[in-house]
Every structure is written in structure tokens, then in C-alpha cells.
Amino acid sequence: MKKLGFGLMRLPQTNPEDRSSVDLEKTKAMIDKYMDAGFTYFDTAYVYHGGNSEKAFGGRREGDHSKDCSDHR
């Protein structure tokens, strides 16, 4: 079993001066590549990118992949 976590604390930004900005297209491509490699563990929190890391992840991934993460305890 592969184990690797994808941290959403530092995502590509559209404006380097604005920590709350997130480049959604680059983020989606990164998440797709990670999940296509068989990984499913993500680390996110409401404080990352001023709350926008969860929005970028949730808004882009909903319905794209299985939500069953029961094997990641």
C-alpha cells in the first residue's frame, strides 16, 4: 500500500502578494496527478490560504473520485 499525504498548505497562487489567492487550474492538475498515481490522503485546514485551500480542493474534487477513505485511519 502506498502512503503519501498531499498538503494543501502551500498551493500555487495567482498573486504571490496575496496568500489567499489559489491558482485553481494548477491545483486541479496537481490533485489529478496525485490521485491518478493511487494516492488519496489530503491534509487541509480552514486557515490554509485564508480558507481557500479547502474551497479549491472541495470545489474541484467533488464527484471526481471515490469519497471512500475508510482505509486511511
Side-chain angles (χ1 to χ4, degrees):
M1 171 190 303
K2 299 181 196 180
K3 291 192 178 199
L4 179 68
F6 186 108
L8 288 113
M9 178 184 269
R10 295 196 172 120
L11 297 174
Q13 296 171 261
T14 55
N15 178 357
E17 303 298 318
D18 179 6
R19 290 281 304 141
S20 67
S21 71
V22 175
D23 186 321
L24 296 177
E25 292 306 312
K26 285 183 182 177
T27 299
K28 181 184 183 306
M30 291 167 56
I31 291 170
D32 285 343
K33 186 167 187 142
Y34 174 81
M35 292 188 82
D36 288 345
F39 298 106
T40 59
Y41 180 81
F42 293 89
D43 169 40
T44 188
Y46 72 93
V47 297
Y48 298 167
H49 290 280
N52 289 327
S53 99
E54 288 183 336
K55 291 177 186 173
F57 174 71
R60 292 304 200 164
R61 304 315 315 151
E62 187 173 327
D64 288 352
H65 294 277
S66 170
K67 293 182 191 305
D68 180 12
C69 296
S70 58
D71 61 331
H72 301 288
R73 294 186 185 109

